[in-house]
Amino acid sequence: MAIDVDLMLPSPEPVALLDPDGRPTAGDDAALPPADDLLRGLAGMVTARRFNEQASVLVRQGRLAVYPSSYGQEACQVAAAQVLADEDWLFPTYRDTAAAVARGVDPVEVLGLLKGDWHSGYDPYERRVAPLATPLATQLPHAVGVAHAARLRGESTVVLAMCGDGATSEGDFHEALNFAAVFRAPVVFFVQNNQYAISVPLSRQSAAPSLAHKGVGYGVPGELVDGNDLAALLHVLSGAVARARAGAGPQLVEGRTYRMQAHTNADDATRYRSDAEVAAWAGKDPLLRLDAYLRAAGVLDDARAAGHADDAERLARHTRDGLNVDVVPDPEDLFRHVYSRPTPQLVEQLALVQDELSRDETSQEETR
């Protein structure tokens, strides 16, 4: 099938429907998503920010081993979940905990991996959210596989696969886009360009005009959107999901945003970026932008905003209480969930562990 190259090229500037002060860029509300969708998105962002704050505190308290914050990227996180239907799949990265929560996964379970508990921490099939992927881009070929399988079965499922700017430098990114394009898999690749791959700035990763342009080489249409504008994200991502569902093949969306906090609690961001740079992006805060618009439009008032804050605080309390419960690990879990049918080596290793545990129990009883 012939491809119109002009339709594949992203816009030269990020698509934006609200400016940083919350004013419609077109001068009116005609192009904006419905007010109910924006209110839902704002509530989700308020919850996501409170979740980020709570998780960071839990790290300092020793309840989490590590936490990669998405503070400042809440618009991307919430929009990614909000544009999906129940039958769709979300494939997140390690930084997309807020997206998983927005999709309906219990926040305590979402943080299980980052606490150091076993496996992903939640049932991926319950909410159709794949396990958080710690290695860069490895989830992208898996996402394409799920999308391709759904297409072969005649299902209407769309897969939204999230990654960061650093992941676009990985071979898995290339393989996923190429495979998806050749087989016209219904998958949306959503790149959150937060400007840094740990300490490496975007300028040292890619010379492309934008990361959205990378789709052209694979035959995948790309779009560039303001990643701090929830209205624009809902507009662009929902369109991409709709096209993928309609059989138009994979779509690539780059959300241009910023990681306001360090890469993780183990990172010192002051070593590679200035306070002035961070302050400039603070003025583009996605929550303040949408809050300003909805208040000016008469849709949001103090009472409703207080309700959003209360809901967010309840989720933070639930997260805090859940993470303050010590988990007693079962050593045999190391062997139960590796293969559906244990290999002879696993059976032998399990027997060794069981024997060692038995001898420890016997020794403790004799000591008493």
Side-chain angles (χ1 to χ4, degrees), residues 269-280:
T270 63
R271 298 180 63 182
Y272 54 83
R273 65 185 191 184
S274 67
D275 291 342
E277 179 182 305
V278 177

Side-chain angles (χ1 to χ4, degrees), residues 207-228:
S210 75
L211 298 177
H213 278 80
K214 286 179 176 281
V216 175
Y218 304 101
V220 177
E223 190 55 276
L224 174 63
V225 59
D226 186 333
N228 284 13

Side-chain angles (χ1 to χ4, degrees), residues 22-330:
R23 295 185 296 261
T25 57
D28 57 48
D29 298 348
L32 293 169
D36 286 348
D37 290 347
L38 295 177
L39 270 174
R40 177 187 168 195
L42 178 63
M45 287 197 294
V46 170
T47 295
R49 177 150 300 179
R50 184 67 187 91
F51 175 67
N52 274 312
E53 293 169 345
Q54 183 61 76
S56 295
V57 170
L58 288 167
V59 170
R60 294 194 293 271
Q61 294 175 343
R63 287 297 176 178
L64 283 180
V66 65
Y67 185 67
S69 175
S70 59
Y71 193 107
Q73 299 178 219
E74 289 90 354
C76 291
Q77 298 282 298
V78 171
Q82 191 166 327
V83 299
L84 296 178
D86 289 344
E87 69 267 22
D88 296 335
W89 274 87
L90 178 71
F91 273 69
T93 73
Y94 56 86
R95 196 177 302 281
D96 299 321
T97 51
V101 171
R103 182 75 168 152
V105 182
D106 188 315
V108 176
E109 295 180 349
V110 168
L111 295 176
L113 175 69
L114 300 173
K115 184 180 180 181
D117 290 345
W118 66 285
H119 300 297
S120 74
Y122 55 87
D123 178 0
Y125 293 95
E126 182 180 0
R127 298 289 182 175
R128 295 203 164 197
V129 178
L132 301 177
T134 301
L136 292 189
T138 56
Q139 79 279 9
L140 300 183
H142 301 162
V144 176
V146 170
H148 181 52
R151 180 172 179 266
L152 292 177
R153 289 194 295 261
E155 299 172 354
S156 62
T157 301
V158 171
V159 177
L160 193 150
M162 304 178 76
C163 69
D165 47 289
T168 66
S169 299
E170 296 288 331
D172 293 270
F173 179 83
H174 156 78
E175 292 154 6
L177 264 72
N178 195 57
F179 187 97
V182 170
F183 290 95
R184 297 186 65 77
V187 56
V188 176
F189 298 96
F190 181 30
V191 180
Q192 293 176 87
N193 176 8
N194 65 16
Q195 311 303 315
Y196 289 93
I198 308 184
S199 60
V200 180
L202 182 65
S203 61
R204 302 296 293 173
Q205 298 179 62
S206 174
S210 75
L211 298 177
H213 278 80
K214 286 179 176 281
V216 175
Y218 304 101
V220 177
E223 190 55 276
L224 174 63
V225 59
D226 186 333
N228 284 13
D229 180 356
L230 182 92
L233 283 163
L234 291 178
H235 173 72
V236 171
L237 286 174
S238 61
V241 168
R243 289 190 295 275
R245 201 184 309 279
Q251 312 288 309
L252 173 63
V253 176
E254 175 192 351
R256 191 167 289 175
T257 183
Y258 194 76
R259 191 193 75 219
M260 293 299 297
Q261 297 181 338
H263 176 69
T264 68
N265 51 291
D267 172 42
D268 180 5
T270 63
R271 298 180 63 182
Y272 54 83
R273 65 185 191 184
S274 67
D275 291 342
E277 179 182 305
V278 177
W281 277 94
K284 304 174 184 179
D285 190 304
L287 276 75
L288 299 180
R289 182 182 306 198
L290 187 55
D291 184 281
Y293 167 74
L294 291 174
R295 287 183 184 275
V299 177
L300 179 69
D301 56 22
D302 288 345
R304 179 164 276 171
H308 293 168
D310 289 344
D311 291 341
E313 193 55 45
R314 277 191 289 273
L315 182 134
R317 187 181 308 114
H318 169 74
T319 304
R320 185 169 59 248
D321 292 345
L323 268 294
N324 280 331
V325 175
D326 288 324
V327 175
V328 180
D330 183 349

